[in-house]
Amino acid sequence: MVIKEGCHYKMRVTFRVQHNIVLGLKISSSISRLGKKIKDEEMLGTYPPSNEFTAVDLPKNGWHEAPSGKVYRGDYKSKMRFTDDDGEEHLVFDWLMKISKKWGDE
């Protein structure tokens, strides 16, 4: 994902619960670069099994703001973790975010 420095952004996560009810689903994310780590956690709630997909915008309230300035441009390593109230991990994945001077810079 490439975003412009200083912009406000949200992420949309789409998922479905297939077999058993998930109590207290939460998303934990961490973004790190040059030894600094930013952690964020968002409680999503309880979800029963369904054939329907659910879309959730993160953060639910407000916006994330990308840092700006030459020092902050570049690649950020990120990890997203979906867990429930029992601490069971349902999904964990790594992804990259790039902050650039203008839209479309690769």
Side-chain angles (χ1 to χ4, degrees):
M1 174 169 83
V2 179
I3 60 174
K4 183 180 180 218
E5 63 181 345
C7 76
H8 291 84
Y9 68 95
K10 287 188 179 224
M11 294 180 6
R12 176 166 287 164
V13 177
T14 304
F15 64 93
R16 73 177 176 164
V17 175
Q18 290 185 316
H19 302 290
N20 298 317
I21 190 168
V22 177
L23 300 172
L25 182 65
K26 66 181 172 184
I27 295 179
S28 303
S29 64
S30 62
I31 300 174
S32 61
R33 180 166 187 235
L34 302 174
K36 292 197 174 216
K37 187 177 273 192
I38 299 170
K39 293 185 177 184
D40 190 18
E41 191 171 277
E42 186 90 37
M43 179 59 78
L44 300 180
T46 297
Y47 293 89
S50 174
N51 290 328
E52 305 283 324
F53 284 88
T54 301
V56 177
D57 291 332
L58 301 172
K60 287 183 180 179
N61 301 313
W63 296 82
H64 286 298
E65 182 176 355
S68 61
K70 188 174 185 173
V71 174
Y72 297 106
R73 291 181 209 140
D75 295 330
Y76 289 75
K77 293 180 183 177
S78 305
K79 180 176 287 241
M80 192 162 285
R81 180 176 279 119
F82 292 75
T83 57
D84 63 21
D85 278 345
D86 296 329
E88 182 178 343
E89 289 185 339
H90 294 275
L91 176 65
V92 177
F93 63 92
D94 296 321
W95 57 285
L96 291 175
M97 178 172 66
K98 180 177 182 176
I99 297 179
S100 65
K101 187 173 182 174
K102 54 186 175 181
W103 291 110
D105 282 354
E106 298 275 337

